[in-house]
Amino acid sequence: RERFDAEAILRRLDPAVPVLLTHGSADEVVPFRHLGLLAKARPGATVVTGGHDHHPLSTQERPDLLRTLLAAARARADGRA
């Protein structure tokens, strides 16, 4: 029912900004296939999936996600990505 065009936002976002996309395969609100659409709209995004439901993964539950995102930001800043 909400009209939030995440694909358009990802396409407009500065390529230097690292993006982390997460989606749970047990999500009953947003179809899991939407993750593929978002990943296609943002090549180079870090994509993490899990068996969780609609509530997103948090960096408190998975601190490795924050480390992954920060590593991607550093690599981009250093010109390695």
Side-chain angles (χ1 to χ4, degrees):
R1 291 174 289 194
E2 293 181 27
R3 300 286 183 215
F4 182 76
D5 193 351
E7 289 179 68
I9 290 169
L10 288 172
R11 284 190 207 97
R12 288 193 310 260
L13 194 60
D14 184 327
V17 175
V19 172
L20 173 66
L21 300 172
T22 68
H23 200 108
S25 59
D27 190 334
E28 295 181 5
V29 177
V30 178
F32 189 71
R33 65 181 171 76
H34 286 202
L35 177 64
L37 300 173
L38 295 178
K40 186 176 179 181
R42 184 56 182 219
T46 300
V47 178
V48 177
T49 61
H52 57 282
D53 59 15
H54 186 66
H55 300 285
L57 291 176
S58 74
T59 55
Q60 290 177 337
E61 295 168 350
R62 294 270 315 269
D64 59 301
L65 297 180
L66 183 55
R67 287 192 292 273
T68 298
L69 188 60
L70 290 173
R74 287 186 189 107
R76 288 178 189 267
D78 293 344
R80 294 179 286 168

